[in-house]
Amino acid sequence: MIHATAAHVLRRFVAALLVVLSVSTAAFVLARLAPGDETTTDVMEGVDPKAIADTRDRLGLDRPFPVQLAQFTWDLLRLDLGESAKFDRPVAALVAERGANTARLAFVALLLATLIGLPLGVVTGAYSGTWVSRLVSTASIAVLACPPLVAVLVLLYIATTTAWISVAPGDLLVPALALGLPVGAALERLQSQATHDAMASLDLLAAAARGIPSHRLVWVHAARQSLRPVLGVYGIVIGSLFSGSIAVEFATSWPGLGRLMLDAVQYGDVRLVAGCVFAAGVCLAVGNLVADTLRSVVDPRVRDLS
Amino acid sequence: MTPSRMFRLALVIALVVAAVIFSRRCGAPQSEADAVPQNGGTLVATYRTEPTHFNRLVEARPMARLTALLTQATLLRVDPNTGALVPRLATEWTGTPDGLTWTVTLRRGICFSDGTAFTASDVLFTFQAIYDERVKSPLALDMRAKGQSFQLRAIDDHHIVLTFPSPFGQGLAILDSVPILPRHKLQAALDAGTFRDAWSASANLSDMAGLGPFMLQAYAPAQHLRFVRNPHFWRTDATGQKLPYLDELEVQIVPEQNAELLRLQSGTSDLTNGGARAEDLAMLRDAETAGRVTLVDVGPAIDVSTLWFNLTPGSKAVADKPWLAQEAFRRAISHAVNRQAIVDTVHLGAAAVVYGPVSPGHGDWFVPDLGATPFDLARARTLLTSLGLQDRNGDGVLDDASNRPVEFSLLTQSGHTERERTSTLVGEQLRQVGIKVNVVPMDQRVVQARYASGDYEGIYYGAQANSKDPTGSRAFWLSNGPMHFWNPNQPTAGSEWEGRIDALMLQLAETMDHAERKRQFTEAQQLLADHVPALWFAAPHVSVPMSMRVGGATPTVIQPPVLWNAEELFVLGPRR
């Protein structure tokens, strides 16, 4: 069994590696094909054309696109992400610095989402039809339906007007709530459905018939049984935390990878765009790998199917 | 209820009311008028971009300018409100009658923030760095007269002689943009060819020193910069009190403009990046009425958005639609646009009608009604008819001689409400004379890229101006300038009138007499108005929002509107 699991993990790892390299290269290609380049902003700022020509030469922008792509790919294979044109610093250092911040934010947001979403999901799934269940479900749907930027601004408004939470750049709570609440709402919905299904399963009916107390039936038996499908989406959830963090980081001034990427896109810093995508790809791949591995350990059918 | 009980109740109510009033009084900032500047306290400003470099000599972006303004000092300053030269590190200056050679006396007994004495060698070093080819300083181009570097030499530690190689119109005012850097900190980097890397955003802050009112104590990337009082700062106020008044100034990096406003309104921050957007004015006025913010109208902006067509010879726009290149067509548009309607609807009345790139905000460089083309639909129609543009198929849109409809696409910056709304309104107004405008809002970068590649028909956009002096906008006026929007980077002037403007602007750069400079610039403006290469409609008033805690502010239209005199700012009351 251990051998089979290791082989499964290895296969997934190789696939993840290919995915990361592909999306990074695709990001480079798309960013380079977009109108403008690293010197476009300089043109409108009236920078001396000679200085612009120097920059273009330094960044190799005058070389044919296939040459630039080959250089990027070769650098990527050596894990050299190049220099950021905007920040005049190695992309790897910038990405590591901001990626650590995003990871911290994502971790806290995931923790909040889990602590809020799963218990509420068990409640709404096990006691569906009650007013508590209806209230929580409605709130979850409202949070899920709200665009991230609007949700962040509402949270910021509450935080700034009540002064209950600090909104200084670098403070974690507002961005973590902004990022975590929609994920918590999604987890609540999933957990609710899974719990509802579990409660209707024959083994739980049998357990109830054996006289197991209802709270134990819900919080131990149904919760454990319903966790399996929810666990499977954690990889996707981690990915969504990274992609959803762009709006949140932008509005709350959180110094993370999402904001760095937005800066890079706005400036046309192609190497930095690709570097950010590379980092996000690695996080997503690791998240999926962990989720897959856990699922393959918990459910042998997954391993066998792959 | 007995009278004694009523009395006790009244007393309690009176005490409660008094306590509430007293507590509010204590918590509320004092009014600016009766405020006496006090030392101490912290103000929080927000900025939307983060720094990439702290050295103004190698970086021209707003954050590098702000850092230089707060941590460094110049020999003299041009007061942004009055235009007068104000002594800074230089206490006095005397020039030869031809204005070419200036003897500048430097302030004695002052130190950099690390305690090292300031001498003439620091001034010479700064100019050495500017002119060093390896530094590639964005200031180098401005510090030349007819392409020649200024000559500087030290007479002693406190006197320098500055010689312009040829007449230089801006004169000593140019020194306002040159922060004097510490030779003892940077000479080694300059010698080693690593000057560009010194004082980068990832550099060790303890390696920095300056003569400005503050020192950069901490920088958290993408979060904030914390500036603390420079104990060695040399300025005092009229009463002899040492400046700056503030202990600390925190600049928080908040990229989202709505979040920036929320912070200001809630009292979390005190100052924003610049003027308020037109769409935020109503909300800010409500906040002002509620006593949460102060809104100061500092007059019309000096960077006016421009509508221009791609008139580059051989461009697809001109080849497909030759009428775009006709002066009469552009003049017809100018007559067909109701500028006052733009002022009233887009800017809610807070703007000035303009017909050229120079607004009333430019002070005496502005000539009222120069090149005015009053709103006159009949005149516009006549001009269009004179070009052979008529509605030949009765669809309400004019057609050219080849029966092609008179329509053009107008790119503008999406998310920039003023530009989007103005473009739409101009499109609607031009429909009345049979011109169809397809407004295409695009991301700012895409607009810039389309401009740089010449792949467009018309653009409504603008660039930030940092100086009221016309020489500060040479990139626009000169035919070889990158921002000569309608036909940039011309090897030689493509038309006689552009050649004449080039000559006037070069003369202006070399003329020292202000009246003569004004005459030259008025002629250049008149030529521009005569040939209508581009169109201008309204110069929005710049309204600078601040928290009620900010004292000593004298906002201006030039960036940064409030922090330009950060040393004189003080705190009026506690944070709400």
Side-chain angles (χ1 to χ4, degrees):
Chain A
M1 180 202 163
I2 292 171
H3 177 76
T5 304
H8 171 74
V9 170
L10 188 66
R11 275 197 300 274
R12 302 296 295 171
F13 177 76
V14 172
L17 198 65
L18 286 173
V19 167
V20 169
L21 291 176
S22 307
V23 294
S24 306
T25 310
F28 178 87
V29 171
L30 289 174
R32 186 50 85 218
L33 291 179
D37 58 35
E38 287 85 340
T39 61
T40 299
T41 312
D42 293 342
V43 173
M44 265 309 194
E45 286 178 356
V47 174
D48 182 16
K50 191 168 163 287
I52 293 176
D54 284 350
T55 307
R56 293 185 62 81
D57 184 50
R58 182 168 57 84
L59 298 174
L61 302 178
D62 291 328
R63 287 187 236 159
F65 176 67
V67 176
Q68 292 184 45
L69 180 61
Q71 182 65 52
F72 171 78
T73 312
W74 172 239
D75 289 346
L76 189 64
L77 290 172
R78 293 181 295 131
L79 294 180
D80 175 6
L81 300 178
E83 286 271 325
S84 157
K86 179 179 178 181
F87 292 93
D88 225 0
R89 286 182 62 194
V91 169
L94 272 167
V95 163
E97 203 175 85
R98 305 292 175 93
N101 288 335
T102 294
R104 192 151 63 96
L105 173 62
F107 175 75
V108 176
L110 192 61
L111 198 65
L112 278 172
T114 305
L115 291 177
I116 295 169
L118 294 190
L120 285 179
V122 172
V123 169
T124 52
Y127 307 105
S128 57
T130 61
W131 69 268
V132 177
S133 168
R134 277 198 289 268
L135 185 73
V136 172
S137 304
T138 309
S140 287
I141 290 165
V143 170
L144 271 173
C146 192
L149 194 61
V150 175
V152 178
L153 289 175
V154 169
L155 266 175
L156 267 179
Y157 179 76
I158 294 169
T160 51
T161 47
T162 61
W164 291 337
I165 313 170
S166 165
V167 291
D171 282 341
L172 189 60
L173 198 51
V174 171
L177 278 172
L179 196 58
L181 284 180
V183 176
L187 288 179
E188 186 276 324
R189 292 286 74 215
L190 282 168
Q191 181 67 39
S192 176
Q193 185 60 46
T195 305
H196 189 263
D197 293 348
M199 290 296 287
S201 66
L202 290 175
D203 53 329
L204 258 81
L205 286 175
R210 283 200 298 274
I212 292 175
S214 70
H215 69 273
R216 190 172 165 74
L217 207 62
V218 171
W219 291 103
V220 177
H221 295 273
R224 194 161 58 195
Q225 207 173 100
S226 59
L227 262 183
R228 205 176 298 161
V230 176
L231 202 64
V233 300
Y234 259 75
I236 301 164
V237 164
I238 292 170
S240 76
L241 282 174
F242 277 90
S243 56
S245 71
I246 293 178
V248 170
E249 290 181 3
F250 180 61
T252 60
S253 308
W254 180 256
L257 205 56
R259 202 172 128 195
L260 185 70
M261 183 141 134
L262 199 66
D263 270 357
V265 170
Q266 282 173 344
Y267 186 78
D269 192 340
V270 174
R271 285 279 182 154
L272 191 52
V273 171
C276 291
V277 170
F278 175 82
V282 167
C283 294
L284 187 59
V286 168
N288 274 322
L289 198 62
V290 170
D292 275 357
T293 308
L294 285 175
R295 282 175 65 203
S296 74
V297 170
V298 174
D299 189 349
R301 287 172 303 174
V302 174
R303 195 172 59 225
D304 298 341
L305 276 173
S306 71
Chain B
M1 191 182 281
T2 62
S4 68
R5 278 193 166 188
M6 281 179 70
F7 174 74
R8 278 204 297 265
L9 186 64
L11 188 67
V12 167
I13 292 170
L15 281 173
V16 168
V17 170
V20 168
I21 291 171
F22 182 71
S23 66
R24 288 176 72 92
R25 184 87 187 144
C26 287
Q30 29 179 340
S31 75
E32 168 105 47
D34 58 14
V36 176
Q38 299 282 329
N39 270 332
T42 301
L43 288 179
V44 176
T46 51
Y47 247 65
R48 289 201 290 279
T49 54
E50 57 182 301
T52 53
H53 217 289
F54 297 127
N55 191 342
R56 173 72 183 89
L57 263 57
V58 301
E59 170 73 65
R61 295 210 163 85
M63 254 306 188
R65 284 173 191 264
L66 178 70
T67 310
L69 199 70
L70 296 173
T71 61
Q72 312 295 336
T74 54
L75 289 174
L76 46 83
R77 170 181 277 172
V78 179
D79 187 305
N81 290 316
T82 65
L85 292 186
V86 180
R88 299 285 286 176
L89 297 176
T91 53
E92 55 186 70
W93 45 89
T94 51
T96 53
D98 60 4
L100 291 179
T101 303
W102 292 86
T103 303
V104 180
T105 305
L106 305 179
R107 201 171 289 277
R108 288 171 184 270
I110 64 172
C111 297
F112 284 93
S113 52
D114 63 352
T116 306
F118 159 66
T119 66
S121 65
D122 296 302
V123 180
L124 300 193
F125 165 75
T126 301
F127 277 86
Q128 182 194 354
I130 288 172
Y131 292 129
D132 192 310
E133 287 289 327
R134 295 168 299 175
V135 173
K136 297 189 175 102
S137 175
L139 291 175
L141 200 63
D142 296 333
M143 301 294 147
R144 288 195 161 90
K146 281 193 173 171
Q148 299 289 307
S149 308
F150 304 162
Q151 300 298 313
L152 281 98
R153 65 182 171 85
I155 300 173
D156 56 36
D157 273 356
H158 301 102
H159 293 87
I160 58 160
V161 175
L162 168 69
T163 306
F164 297 121
S166 57
F168 187 70
Q170 277 184 276
L172 290 187
I174 190 73
L175 299 178
D176 174 63
S177 57
V178 184
I180 302 303
L181 299 183
R183 177 172 175 259
H184 64 283
K185 287 281 188 187
L186 291 165
Q187 180 75 65
L190 185 64
D191 293 343
T194 57
F195 188 86
R196 280 192 71 85
D197 302 326
W199 295 12
S200 70
S202 54
N204 188 349
L205 299 183
S206 62
D207 291 338
M208 292 173 63
L211 293 156
F214 295 94
M215 302 181 296
L216 180 54
Q217 187 195 46
Y219 167 50
Q223 295 176 56
H224 65 258
L225 298 96
R226 186 168 295 119
F227 297 91
V228 295
R229 177 205 300 266
N230 172 8
H232 296 286
F233 189 57
W234 38 274
R235 263 199 75 196
T236 56
D237 67 8
T239 64
Q241 194 169 334
K242 279 201 79 171
L243 295 175
Y245 295 121
L246 297 175
D247 283 339
E248 203 173 295
L249 177 68
E250 183 171 322
V251 178
Q252 297 183 348
I253 300 158
V254 180
E256 216 280 320
Q257 205 162 348
N258 295 308
E260 197 182 20
L261 273 182
L262 268 178
R263 285 164 200 270
L264 179 74
Q265 282 204 73
S266 66
T268 316
S269 71
D270 303 300
L271 298 164
T272 62
N273 198 40
R277 296 175 296 192
E279 65 264 36
D280 296 328
L281 280 178
M283 180 183 67
L284 283 167
R285 281 178 188 141
D286 287 346
E288 186 178 32
T289 309
R292 293 201 301 274
V293 300
T294 308
L295 201 56
V296 183
D297 183 346
V298 293
I302 58 171
D303 37 11
V304 186
S305 293
T306 311
L307 189 157
W308 73 91
F309 297 105
N310 185 350
L311 305 182
T312 309
S315 69
K316 189 172 180 298
V318 174
D320 290 352
K321 297 167 181 176
W323 31 266
L324 286 177
Q326 299 292 323
E327 281 177 19
F329 179 76
R330 300 190 300 271
R331 190 173 299 284
I333 291 180
S334 194
H335 279 294
V337 172
N338 184 345
R339 287 171 170 80
Q340 192 57 48
I342 293 175
V343 167
D344 293 340
T345 56
V346 177
H347 302 283
L348 309 174
V353 165
V354 290
Y355 298 94
V358 182
S359 82
H362 284 86
D364 68 350
W365 298 107
F366 173 70
V367 183
D369 293 329
L370 186 146
T373 43
F375 176 52
D376 185 345
L377 290 178
R379 174 86 182 119
R381 288 192 184 102
T382 308
L383 283 165
L384 292 169
T385 308
S386 73
L387 293 170
L389 304 176
Q390 293 168 348
D391 183 6
R392 297 173 209 279
N393 54 14
D395 65 352
V397 178
L398 300 177
D399 303 287
D400 63 14
S402 314
N403 273 337
R404 282 178 304 190
V406 177
E407 67 175 315
F408 61 85
S409 63
L410 185 65
L411 312 187
T412 194
Q413 181 185 348
S414 60
H416 193 296
T417 316
E418 179 253 317
R419 288 184 188 142
E420 277 192 282
R421 286 185 187 166
T422 304
S423 301
T424 306
L425 197 56
V426 165
E428 283 171 13
Q429 292 180 352
L430 293 186
R431 205 171 48 194
Q432 294 177 47
V433 290
I435 298 173
K436 188 177 173 194
V437 183
N438 303 310
V439 177
V440 189
M442 290 179 146
D443 181 69
Q444 181 180 16
R445 244 188 75 71
V446 181
V447 175
Q448 292 174 342
R450 295 280 289 268
Y451 169 70
S453 65
D455 178 19
Y456 69 96
E457 289 177 347
I459 290 181
Y460 185 62
Y461 191 72
Q464 197 175 68
N466 291 306
S467 162
K468 292 182 184 179
D469 193 285
T471 47
S473 46
R474 277 174 309 184
F476 165 80
W477 288 97
L478 295 180
S479 61
N480 63 1
M483 290 156 76
H484 195 70
F485 293 130
W486 54 96
N487 185 9
N489 304 317
Q490 300 174 43
T492 53
S495 64
E496 199 178 315
W497 64 270
E498 283 173 301
R500 176 64 188 149
I501 289 181
D502 285 356
L504 284 165
M505 293 306 290
L506 294 174
Q507 281 171 26
L508 189 135
E510 295 165 10
T511 304
M512 291 167 149
D513 176 56
H514 183 71
E516 176 58 14
R517 296 185 87 214
K518 194 165 173 266
R519 190 202 63 72
Q520 292 160 345
F521 192 50
T522 303
E523 188 185 337
Q525 289 182 68
Q526 186 64 59
L527 281 165
L528 199 73
D530 290 345
H531 297 277
V532 212
L535 298 148
W536 295 267
F537 308 119
H541 278 234
V542 180
S543 293
V544 179
M546 296 181 287
S547 82
M548 305 293 283
R549 299 177 68 233
V550 181
T554 50
T556 169
V557 288
I558 297 175
Q559 286 283 344
V562 177
L563 288 177
W564 72 272
N565 73 336
E567 68 219 44
E568 292 176 22
L569 300 181
F570 54 90
V571 175
L572 284 170
R575 197 172 291 287
R576 278 189 286 124

